[in-house]
Amino acid sequence: MFFKMGPSAAVWDCRAANEITKDWNGIDQVVLRNPQGASARVSLHGGQVTSWRNEHGEELLFTSSKAIFKPPKAMRGGIPICFPEFGNCGSLEQHGFARNKIWAIDDNPPPLLLNDSDGKSFIDLLLKPSEEDLKCWPNSFEFRLRVSLATDGDLTLTSRIRNINGKPFSFSFGYHTYLSVSDISEVRIEGLETLDYLDNLCRRERFTEQGDAITFETELDRVYVSSPNVIAVLDHEKKRTYVIRKEGLPDAVVWNPWEKKSKAMVDIGDEEYKQMVCVDGAAIEKPVTLKPGEEWTGRLQLSVVPSSFCSEHLNL
């Protein structure tokens, strides 16, 4: 994974640090690593990040013990990609079809405007619609996804969706991010206070957040609209904070199924709602519209800092 430059300098070879393996269904997955020992795992099924570990090998994303790992079913956990529809607000299957398709490795992607490869381990994936996809959503597109792992362990997902149709199309989108937490009742989310949200438990009725932070005592399923680009998820027991930075994603979804819904879901354990929270960068309230030839970019960056470091430094 290292190669030599000059008599003594060792440089991390990002590409050599990538490993392509197969999961137990025989589907390719790419493992990214950084020099400090952090890692991320990306499945070609859905272009889904299924694991993100820090330098101590500690898993930072939640995956249900009852997750179904068999295509075409999406896996419960990690970071599923919701496109061209988030939730069930349209005519397509819940959260769209991108998370259920086999993506290709893109060996020659067009360059990103922001150089997102310096010193990072990364992989580029590509999804194009099949004939079957075009029957249920008749729009031609190219969806390029870059997943990168930085030397400091930050995980970044950059999606570029281009309209190669002869007519405009619209879509909603979300990175459905399952974060691993020690105890949901000890979690608080900062950065969404005073915002309006659409409550999916009340027929998407619009309310205004009243608390100085979001805490959990029951099921929550909300779309916070026009949200800031930095959100913090504080895990008091672990004394750490997930920092979510997003670009091109005006909304933020917060979801926890709580006890009753967990018991009704086949692919999550009855008590596992306590160890997870979903905080998604998304574009939902106002769908993205692309004219022919136009491209949209949505970026999500996840990092972890000690909680004592958090509020003074994040400019929430």
Side-chain angles (χ1 to χ4, degrees):
M1 293 180 192
F2 288 95
F3 61 90
K4 294 287 185 184
M5 282 181 63
S8 60
V11 176
W12 181 250
D13 182 352
C14 302
R15 283 293 187 187
N18 293 356
E19 178 190 359
I20 297 179
T21 63
K22 291 192 184 294
D23 66 16
W24 43 88
N25 290 312
I27 295 168
D28 283 348
Q29 52 184 352
V30 181
V31 183
L32 310 177
R33 292 188 178 89
N34 78 358
Q36 283 70 38
S39 67
R41 191 176 294 265
V42 190
S43 174
L44 268 57
H45 176 215
Q48 184 167 340
V49 176
T50 58
S51 171
W52 173 39
R53 293 179 182 269
N54 63 18
E55 67 273 20
H56 307 297
E58 194 177 7
E59 182 57 66
L60 301 168
L61 298 178
F62 168 85
T63 299
S64 168
S65 64
K66 294 191 172 181
I68 298 161
F69 291 90
K70 205 155 178 73
K73 178 77 177 168
M75 188 196 80
R76 174 77 61 194
I79 311 178
I81 288 176
C82 305
F83 169 83
E85 192 172 284
F86 188 95
N88 53 5
C89 42
S91 58
L92 299 175
E93 61 193 281
Q94 165 115 344
H95 290 324
F97 52 72
R99 65 187 186 142
N100 297 327
K101 301 297 177 185
I102 300 297
W103 294 52
I105 292 176
D106 191 359
D107 289 320
N108 193 24
L112 282 167
L113 288 174
L114 285 165
N115 193 344
D116 197 36
S117 61
D118 288 352
K120 296 180 180 178
S121 177
F122 66 93
I123 188 70
D124 288 290
L125 301 181
L126 175 63
L127 179 69
K128 294 181 179 180
S130 65
E131 306 252 325
E132 179 191 335
D133 300 334
L134 290 169
K135 282 178 191 164
C136 63
W137 197 68
N139 300 294
S140 291
F141 65 88
E142 289 178 341
F143 187 149
R144 287 186 159 82
L145 170 69
R146 173 170 292 186
V147 181
S148 65
L149 183 70
T151 50
D152 59 6
D154 286 6
L155 180 71
T156 303
L157 287 79
T158 305
S159 291
R160 292 181 285 172
I161 296 168
R162 178 175 290 278
N163 181 348
I164 54 171
N165 231 8
K167 63 182 190 295
F169 63 69
S170 299
F171 61 89
S172 55
F173 181 92
Y175 292 112
H176 195 26
T177 308
Y178 287 78
L179 298 173
S180 174
V181 297
S182 49
D183 182 348
I184 188 63
S185 60
E186 295 290 317
V187 167
R188 60 187 275 135
I189 299 174
E190 296 183 357
L192 301 175
E193 48 278 2
T194 75
L195 295 186
D196 283 4
Y197 63 86
L198 310 176
D199 194 331
N200 288 322
L201 303 179
C202 297
R203 299 182 183 177
R204 295 172 66 83
E205 198 176 330
R206 196 179 189 104
F207 298 93
T208 301
E209 180 58 54
Q210 302 296 330
D212 60 353
I214 298 168
T215 54
F216 296 84
E217 297 169 354
T218 184
E219 181 184 355
L220 214 68
D221 189 354
R222 298 173 179 173
V223 179
Y224 286 83
V225 298
S226 304
S227 62
N229 285 338
V230 183
I231 302 164
V233 181
L234 288 74
D235 186 340
H236 291 297
E237 199 171 305
K238 285 222 164 93
K239 294 185 171 58
R240 74 179 175 204
T241 296
Y242 293 100
V243 183
I244 298 166
R245 293 182 173 87
K246 56 191 182 68
E247 296 169 38
L249 301 161
D251 305 322
V253 179
V254 177
W255 179 66
N256 182 283
W258 216 253
E259 190 173 11
K260 187 178 175 186
K261 183 162 277 184
S262 294
K263 286 182 174 170
M265 295 164 70
V266 297
D267 59 351
I268 192 167
D270 289 355
E271 300 288 313
E272 286 188 320
Y273 71 91
K274 295 175 181 175
Q275 273 75 60
M276 58 144 289
V277 64
C278 284
V279 183
D280 310 347
I284 299 170
E285 188 198 21
K286 296 172 183 163
V288 178
T289 299
L290 291 180
K291 295 175 186 161
E294 281 188 335
E295 184 174 275
W296 169 87
T297 300
R299 184 190 307 262
L300 180 80
Q301 181 184 342
L302 301 173
S303 35
V304 181
V305 297
S307 285
S308 57
F309 173 83
C310 179
S311 297
E312 311 115 57
H313 298 277
L314 288 180
N315 300 321
L316 290 175

